[in-house]
Amino acid sequence: MPLIETREARKRIPAVEILEPRAFDSWTHTRNGDPRGYIDADKLKELWIHTGTACNLACPFCLEGSHPGDGRIPGMKLSDVKPFIHEALDMGVEQFSFTGGEPFVIRDFVNILDYASQHRPCFVLTNATEPLHKRIHQVKPLLNNPYPIHFRVSLDFPDRERHDKDRGEGSFDGALDGIRLLVDLGFKVSIARQTDASENPAEVETTFREIFRKAGIPEDLAFTAFPDLGTPGSDDGSPEITEGCMEKYPTRESRAHFMCTYTRMLVKKGDQVRVYACTLVDDDPQYDLGTSLAESMDERIMLRHHRCFSCYRFGASCSAPT
């Protein structure tokens, strides 16, 4: 008889945690035994598709641990995602979003993006370097698709040397070239940057805009600033979120900024596509919600991952800026 993985089995305490005995299941309770904060999903508005962790760069801070040839999460194919795209459409999804790794490293990515943008607006996270440059001729025709595509390009800091220290020499200028290519074609582009604890956000963005002006790039690109989210499997010691903490968000409307309220992400595990709670928790199998988008929206999401605290504290969202 085949082994069927039940919901209760998925929520068992991982073996690594059994080494430190606890009075409660760590999925539902904090280390101190307090009931853990949680989110009940509302409506699926955005479906994220993880194209795979392979990337042309090897950034040591990467929250996915991506690097050339990385296979922690295998690459997606159009045949993998088609059934989920249509299930999401039946559920009223408003946007398809893509992350990696670097999506343009994946052979079938442009076909996936082409198909998705026939049905809903799309949002793509990219480093906009060589893989995009090589495929820009394939991207250009997508401008004629029924729905628009928005690209968010990673530029960590308005400092070429600091950016290239981790991403590799030439990656800053490569990203500027990629931004210019996309903008000149007519695509919408925004910027993902990193934050410093003592920064003045207005000054940082002013410096970026000076760089854009000199590079012949529009100065009014929108920014999304991210804290350090750690590498896969790491724990930065963030405070745990209790039910008491969540009393700050007493209504469905006030909890709506948590991504797990309105998003899900497709992650390929082996040969099977699984549904995860959001874009930031694919390194924890307890956030694997099965193989059905509709059923995943009935799952209560416990705010157990240390990255959940980033959403709690900063209102962080991987979605496109409005």
Side-chain angles (χ1 to χ4, degrees):
M1 180 180 295
L3 178 63
I4 299 175
E5 185 184 42
T6 66
R7 182 179 304 179
E8 287 303 313
R10 293 203 307 272
K11 293 180 179 177
R12 291 175 184 158
I13 305 173
V16 68
E17 294 187 347
I18 294 176
L19 298 176
E20 180 183 350
R22 296 180 181 177
F24 298 96
D25 184 342
S26 69
W27 178 252
T28 59
H29 289 73
T30 68
R31 292 177 177 87
N32 292 329
D34 297 314
R36 194 178 293 282
Y38 61 85
I39 288 290
D40 288 327
D42 189 0
K43 176 186 176 183
L44 181 66
K45 296 181 180 179
E46 181 178 22
L47 177 62
W48 283 84
I49 298 170
H50 200 307
T51 59
T53 46
C55 186
N56 61 308
L57 305 180
C59 309
F61 56 80
C62 180
L63 66 88
E64 291 290 5
S66 300
H67 55 79
D70 185 81
R72 183 177 75 84
I73 297 177
M76 282 284 192
K77 298 178 181 178
L78 178 56
S79 58
D80 293 325
V81 301
K82 262 188 177 182
F84 293 94
I85 286 175
H86 288 282
E87 183 185 10
L89 291 170
D90 290 342
M91 296 169 66
V93 73
E94 299 172 8
Q95 177 174 291
F96 295 114
S97 299
F98 301 88
T99 187
E102 168 52 46
F104 285 101
V105 167
I106 304 304
R107 180 177 300 177
D108 220 14
F109 175 61
V110 174
N111 293 329
I112 295 172
L113 184 58
D114 181 24
Y115 191 82
S117 59
Q118 302 285 344
H119 299 281
R120 288 293 184 271
C122 292
F123 181 54
V124 181
L125 309 189
T126 176
N127 60 44
T129 59
E130 186 178 13
L132 169 66
H133 302 175
K134 288 181 174 179
R135 306 185 72 178
I136 198 70
H137 65 287
Q138 297 174 327
V139 175
K140 181 178 179 180
L142 306 189
L143 273 170
N144 299 319
N145 283 4
Y147 292 93
I149 302 170
H150 176 168
F151 295 90
R152 177 190 283 162
V153 176
S154 298
L155 274 179
D156 299 327
F157 307 101
D159 181 318
R160 181 176 283 99
E161 183 176 350
R162 187 178 178 190
H163 177 94
D164 286 1
K165 180 180 178 181
D166 284 334
R167 290 188 178 263
E169 185 177 355
S171 60
F172 188 86
D173 288 333
L176 292 179
D177 290 342
I179 292 169
R180 192 183 305 106
L181 286 169
L182 291 169
V183 169
D184 288 350
L185 286 176
F187 289 105
K188 183 176 181 179
V189 178
S190 61
I191 305 299
R193 70 174 185 85
Q194 294 189 34
T195 57
D196 284 325
S198 59
E199 73 174 23
N200 180 318
E203 290 181 0
V204 173
E205 293 180 11
T206 295
T207 306
F208 266 117
R209 297 189 197 288
E210 291 171 355
I211 292 170
F212 294 161
R213 183 172 61 254
K214 292 177 181 178
I217 293 169
E219 298 176 46
D220 60 350
L221 302 184
F223 289 91
T224 301
F226 288 98
D228 182 1
L229 295 168
T231 54
S234 65
D235 189 337
D236 62 4
S238 295
E240 295 185 284
I241 303 170
T242 66
E243 281 190 7
C245 296
M246 293 304 294
E247 290 175 1
K248 179 180 178 182
Y249 305 99
T251 67
R252 175 174 291 181
E253 290 75 17
S254 62
R255 294 179 183 223
H257 75 271
F258 285 87
M259 289 189 293
C260 50
T261 305
Y262 63 91
T263 76
R264 290 292 182 263
M265 183 167 76
L266 303 182
V267 178
K268 195 169 183 180
K269 297 290 186 179
D271 293 328
Q272 188 177 53
V273 177
R274 310 289 297 182
V275 179
Y276 272 67
C278 86
T279 60
L280 299 176
V281 296
D282 59 67
D283 59 342
D284 186 341
Q286 289 198 294
Y287 288 96
D288 181 337
L289 306 180
T291 59
S292 164
L293 288 171
E295 291 179 7
S296 77
M297 298 302 286
D298 293 330
E299 292 270 10
R300 172 164 287 179
I301 307 302
M302 310 306 294
L303 301 177
R304 175 182 184 271
H305 200 287
H306 73 88
R307 291 174 183 159
C308 296
F309 186 73
S310 294
C311 276
Y312 180 85
R313 182 180 179 185
F314 300 108
S317 173
C318 297
S319 301
T322 56

PDB file of all heavy atoms in Angstrom, residues 197-216:
ATOM      1  N   ALA A 197      21.143  49.393   7.928  1.00  0.00           N
ATOM      2  CA  ALA A 197      20.438  49.785   9.150  1.00  0.00           C
ATOM      3  C   ALA A 197      20.450  51.288   9.377  1.00  0.00           C
ATOM      4  O   ALA A 197      19.470  51.865   9.862  1.00  0.00           O
ATOM      5  CB  ALA A 197      21.061  49.066  10.347  1.00  0.00           C
ATOM      6  N   SER A 198      21.537  51.958   9.033  1.00  0.00           N
ATOM      7  CA  SER A 198      21.669  53.390   9.333  1.00  0.00           C
ATOM      8  C   SER A 198      21.417  54.276   8.121  1.00  0.00           C
ATOM      9  O   SER A 198      21.719  55.473   8.152  1.00  0.00           O
ATOM     10  CB  SER A 198      23.076  53.664   9.884  1.00  0.00           C
ATOM     11  OG  SER A 198      24.063  53.283   8.933  1.00  0.00           O
ATOM     12  N   GLU A 199      20.845  53.720   7.075  1.00  0.00           N
ATOM     13  CA  GLU A 199      20.704  54.487   5.840  1.00  0.00           C
ATOM     14  C   GLU A 199      19.636  55.567   5.936  1.00  0.00           C
ATOM     15  O   GLU A 199      18.713  55.499   6.758  1.00  0.00           O
ATOM     16  CB  GLU A 199      20.341  53.552   4.686  1.00  0.00           C
ATOM     17  CG  GLU A 199      18.916  53.030   4.738  1.00  0.00           C
ATOM     18  CD  GLU A 199      18.536  52.230   3.499  1.00  0.00           C
ATOM     19  OE1 GLU A 199      19.446  51.716   2.821  1.00  0.00           O
ATOM     20  OE2 GLU A 199      17.327  52.111   3.228  1.00  0.00           O
ATOM     21  N   ASN A 200      19.760  56.540   5.055  1.00  0.00           N
ATOM     22  CA  ASN A 200      18.705  57.516   4.793  1.00  0.00           C
ATOM     23  C   ASN A 200      18.107  57.129   3.448  1.00  0.00           C
ATOM     24  O   ASN A 200      18.742  57.335   2.405  1.00  0.00           O
ATOM     25  CB  ASN A 200      19.275  58.938   4.745  1.00  0.00           C
ATOM     26  CG  ASN A 200      18.208  59.990   4.471  1.00  0.00           C
ATOM     27  OD1 ASN A 200      17.329  59.795   3.637  1.00  0.00           O
ATOM     28  ND2 ASN A 200      18.304  61.109   5.166  1.00  0.00           N
ATOM     29  N   PRO A 201      16.904  56.530   3.426  1.00  0.00           N
ATOM     30  CA  PRO A 201      16.354  56.000   2.170  1.00  0.00           C
ATOM     31  C   PRO A 201      16.289  57.028   1.048  1.00  0.00           C
ATOM     32  O   PRO A 201      16.576  56.697  -0.107  1.00  0.00           O
ATOM     33  CB  PRO A 201      14.946  55.536   2.576  1.00  0.00           C
ATOM     34  CG  PRO A 201      15.067  55.231   4.040  1.00  0.00           C
ATOM     35  CD  PRO A 201      16.009  56.259   4.581  1.00  0.00           C
ATOM     36  N   ALA A 202      15.937  58.263   1.384  1.00  0.00           N
ATOM     37  CA  ALA A 202      15.828  59.288   0.341  1.00  0.00           C
ATOM     38  C   ALA A 202      17.188  59.563  -0.293  1.00  0.00           C
ATOM     39  O   ALA A 202      17.294  59.723  -1.518  1.00  0.00           O
ATOM     40  CB  ALA A 202      15.251  60.572   0.927  1.00  0.00           C
ATOM     41  N   GLU A 203      18.238  59.586   0.528  1.00  0.00           N
ATOM     42  CA  GLU A 203      19.575  59.823  -0.003  1.00  0.00           C
ATOM     43  C   GLU A 203      20.037  58.663  -0.880  1.00  0.00           C
ATOM     44  O   GLU A 203      20.660  58.869  -1.934  1.00  0.00           O
ATOM     45  CB  GLU A 203      20.563  60.035   1.147  1.00  0.00           C
ATOM     46  CG  GLU A 203      20.369  61.347   1.896  1.00  0.00           C
ATOM     47  CD  GLU A 203      21.380  61.523   3.016  1.00  0.00           C
ATOM     48  OE1 GLU A 203      22.223  60.613   3.200  1.00  0.00           O
ATOM     49  OE2 GLU A 203      21.324  62.549   3.708  1.00  0.00           O
ATOM     50  N   VAL A 204      19.737  57.427  -0.447  1.00  0.00           N
ATOM     51  CA  VAL A 204      20.119  56.252  -1.236  1.00  0.00           C
ATOM     52  C   VAL A 204      19.464  56.302  -2.608  1.00  0.00           C
ATOM     53  O   VAL A 204      20.122  56.105  -3.646  1.00  0.00           O
ATOM     54  CB  VAL A 204      19.732  54.956  -0.501  1.00  0.00           C
ATOM     55  CG1 VAL A 204      19.971  53.741  -1.395  1.00  0.00           C
ATOM     56  CG2 VAL A 204      20.516  54.811   0.793  1.00  0.00           C
ATOM     57  N   GLU A 205      18.172  56.589  -2.636  1.00  0.00           N
ATOM     58  CA  GLU A 205      17.460  56.589  -3.907  1.00  0.00           C
ATOM     59  C   GLU A 205      17.865  57.765  -4.788  1.00  0.00           C
ATOM     60  O   GLU A 205      17.876  57.654  -6.018  1.00  0.00           O
ATOM     61  CB  GLU A 205      15.955  56.551  -3.642  1.00  0.00           C
ATOM     62  CG  GLU A 205      15.544  55.214  -3.014  1.00  0.00           C
ATOM     63  CD  GLU A 205      14.065  55.081  -2.714  1.00  0.00           C
ATOM     64  OE1 GLU A 205      13.279  55.956  -3.170  1.00  0.00           O
ATOM     65  OE2 GLU A 205      13.691  54.105  -2.031  1.00  0.00           O
ATOM     66  N   THR A 206      18.223  58.901  -4.173  1.00  0.00           N
ATOM     67  CA  THR A 206      18.731  60.035  -4.952  1.00  0.00           C
ATOM     68  C   THR A 206      20.035  59.655  -5.655  1.00  0.00           C
ATOM     69  O   THR A 206      20.246  59.990  -6.834  1.00  0.00           O
ATOM     70  CB  THR A 206      18.953  61.252  -4.047  1.00  0.00           C
ATOM     71  OG1 THR A 206      17.697  61.690  -3.536  1.00  0.00           O
ATOM     72  CG2 THR A 206      19.608  62.391  -4.822  1.00  0.00           C
ATOM     73  N   THR A 207      20.903  58.926  -4.953  1.00  0.00           N
ATOM     74  CA  THR A 207      22.161  58.486  -5.547  1.00  0.00           C
ATOM     75  C   THR A 207      21.901  57.524  -6.706  1.00  0.00           C
ATOM     76  O   THR A 207      22.562  57.597  -7.755  1.00  0.00           O
ATOM     77  CB  THR A 207      23.054  57.810  -4.492  1.00  0.00           C
ATOM     78  OG1 THR A 207      23.222  58.691  -3.383  1.00  0.00           O
ATOM     79  CG2 THR A 207      24.414  57.465  -5.071  1.00  0.00           C
ATOM     80  N   PHE A 208      20.947  56.616  -6.522  1.00  0.00           N
ATOM     81  CA  PHE A 208      20.569  55.717  -7.619  1.00  0.00           C
ATOM     82  C   PHE A 208      20.110  56.524  -8.832  1.00  0.00           C
ATOM     83  O   PHE A 208      20.504  56.229  -9.976  1.00  0.00           O
ATOM     84  CB  PHE A 208      19.429  54.791  -7.177  1.00  0.00           C
ATOM     85  CG  PHE A 208      19.873  53.456  -6.656  1.00  0.00           C
ATOM     86  CD1 PHE A 208      19.618  53.098  -5.333  1.00  0.00           C
ATOM     87  CD2 PHE A 208      20.519  52.543  -7.461  1.00  0.00           C
ATOM     88  CE1 PHE A 208      20.009  51.855  -4.841  1.00  0.00           C
ATOM     89  CE2 PHE A 208      20.917  51.300  -6.983  1.00  0.00           C
ATOM     90  CZ  PHE A 208      20.660  50.960  -5.666  1.00  0.00           C
ATOM     91  N   ARG A 209      19.288  57.528  -8.594  1.00  0.00           N
ATOM     92  CA  ARG A 209      18.717  58.287  -9.710  1.00  0.00           C
ATOM     93  C   ARG A 209      19.804  59.059 -10.465  1.00  0.00           C
ATOM     94  O   ARG A 209      19.706  59.240 -11.687  1.00  0.00           O
ATOM     95  CB  ARG A 209      17.614  59.205  -9.202  1.00  0.00           C
ATOM     96  CG  ARG A 209      16.443  58.429  -8.601  1.00  0.00           C
ATOM     97  CD  ARG A 209      15.233  59.283  -8.270  1.00  0.00           C
ATOM     98  NE  ARG A 209      14.328  58.588  -7.362  1.00  0.00           N
ATOM     99  CZ  ARG A 209      13.548  57.557  -7.679  1.00  0.00           C
ATOM    100  NH1 ARG A 209      13.568  57.082  -8.915  1.00  0.00           N
ATOM    101  NH2 ARG A 209      12.755  56.999  -6.774  1.00  0.00           N
ATOM    102  N   GLU A 210      20.831  59.492  -9.761  1.00  0.00           N
ATOM    103  CA  GLU A 210      21.959  60.144 -10.436  1.00  0.00           C
ATOM    104  C   GLU A 210      22.672  59.156 -11.358  1.00  0.00           C
ATOM    105  O   GLU A 210      23.071  59.503 -12.477  1.00  0.00           O
ATOM    106  CB  GLU A 210      22.933  60.702  -9.391  1.00  0.00           C
ATOM    107  CG  GLU A 210      22.361  61.884  -8.598  1.00  0.00           C
ATOM    108  CD  GLU A 210      23.259  62.284  -7.432  1.00  0.00           C
ATOM    109  OE1 GLU A 210      24.267  61.588  -7.195  1.00  0.00           O
ATOM    110  OE2 GLU A 210      22.938  63.279  -6.751  1.00  0.00           O
ATOM    111  N   ILE A 211      22.812  57.928 -10.876  1.00  0.00           N
ATOM    112  CA  ILE A 211      23.435  56.873 -11.700  1.00  0.00           C
ATOM    113  C   ILE A 211      22.576  56.594 -12.924  1.00  0.00           C
ATOM    114  O   ILE A 211      23.083  56.460 -14.051  1.00  0.00           O
ATOM    115  CB  ILE A 211      23.636  55.602 -10.865  1.00  0.00           C
ATOM    116  CG1 ILE A 211      24.685  55.833  -9.779  1.00  0.00           C
ATOM    117  CG2 ILE A 211      24.027  54.414 -11.747  1.00  0.00           C
ATOM    118  CD1 ILE A 211      24.780  54.708  -8.760  1.00  0.00           C
ATOM    119  N   PHE A 212      21.265  56.503 -12.730  1.00  0.00           N
ATOM    120  CA  PHE A 212      20.356  56.240 -13.849  1.00  0.00           C
ATOM    121  C   PHE A 212      20.449  57.362 -14.894  1.00  0.00           C
ATOM    122  O   PHE A 212      20.476  57.089 -16.101  1.00  0.00           O
ATOM    123  CB  PHE A 212      18.919  56.115 -13.350  1.00  0.00           C
ATOM    124  CG  PHE A 212      18.669  54.919 -12.477  1.00  0.00           C
ATOM    125  CD1 PHE A 212      17.560  54.873 -11.631  1.00  0.00           C
ATOM    126  CD2 PHE A 212      19.528  53.833 -12.477  1.00  0.00           C
ATOM    127  CE1 PHE A 212      17.314  53.769 -10.826  1.00  0.00           C
ATOM    128  CE2 PHE A 212      19.298  52.724 -11.668  1.00  0.00           C
ATOM    129  CZ  PHE A 212      18.185  52.699 -10.841  1.00  0.00           C
ATOM    130  N   ARG A 213      20.476  58.598 -14.428  1.00  0.00           N
ATOM    131  CA  ARG A 213      20.528  59.725 -15.359  1.00  0.00           C
ATOM    132  C   ARG A 213      21.773  59.644 -16.238  1.00  0.00           C
ATOM    133  O   ARG A 213      21.704  59.816 -17.456  1.00  0.00           O
ATOM    134  CB  ARG A 213      20.490  61.038 -14.582  1.00  0.00           C
ATOM    135  CG  ARG A 213      20.469  62.272 -15.492  1.00  0.00           C
ATOM    136  CD  ARG A 213      20.245  63.562 -14.723  1.00  0.00           C
ATOM    137  NE  ARG A 213      21.292  63.822 -13.744  1.00  0.00           N
ATOM    138  CZ  ARG A 213      21.155  63.686 -12.431  1.00  0.00           C
ATOM    139  NH1 ARG A 213      20.004  63.278 -11.929  1.00  0.00           N
ATOM    140  NH2 ARG A 213      22.156  63.957 -11.606  1.00  0.00           N
ATOM    141  N   LYS A 214      22.921  59.351 -15.625  1.00  0.00           N
ATOM    142  CA  LYS A 214      24.172  59.254 -16.375  1.00  0.00           C
ATOM    143  C   LYS A 214      24.165  58.065 -17.334  1.00  0.00           C
ATOM    144  O   LYS A 214      24.851  58.084 -18.362  1.00  0.00           O
ATOM    145  CB  LYS A 214      25.346  59.138 -15.408  1.00  0.00           C
ATOM    146  CG  LYS A 214      25.596  60.394 -14.593  1.00  0.00           C
ATOM    147  CD  LYS A 214      26.730  60.181 -13.598  1.00  0.00           C
ATOM    148  CE  LYS A 214      26.962  61.427 -12.753  1.00  0.00           C
ATOM    149  NZ  LYS A 214      28.043  61.206 -11.741  1.00  0.00           N
ATOM    150  N   ALA A 215      23.387  57.026 -16.988  1.00  0.00           N
ATOM    151  CA  ALA A 215      23.340  55.816 -17.815  1.00  0.00           C
ATOM    152  C   ALA A 215      22.231  55.866 -18.864  1.00  0.00           C
ATOM    153  O   ALA A 215      22.043  54.891 -19.604  1.00  0.00           O
ATOM    154  CB  ALA A 215      23.146  54.586 -16.928  1.00  0.00           C
ATOM    155  N   GLY A 216      21.514  56.979 -18.938  1.00  0.00           N
ATOM    156  CA  GLY A 216      20.435  57.092 -19.916  1.00  0.00           C
ATOM    157  C   GLY A 216      19.215  56.266 -19.577  1.00  0.00           C
ATOM    158  O   GLY A 216      18.484  55.805 -20.461  1.00  0.00           O
TER     159      GLY A 216
END
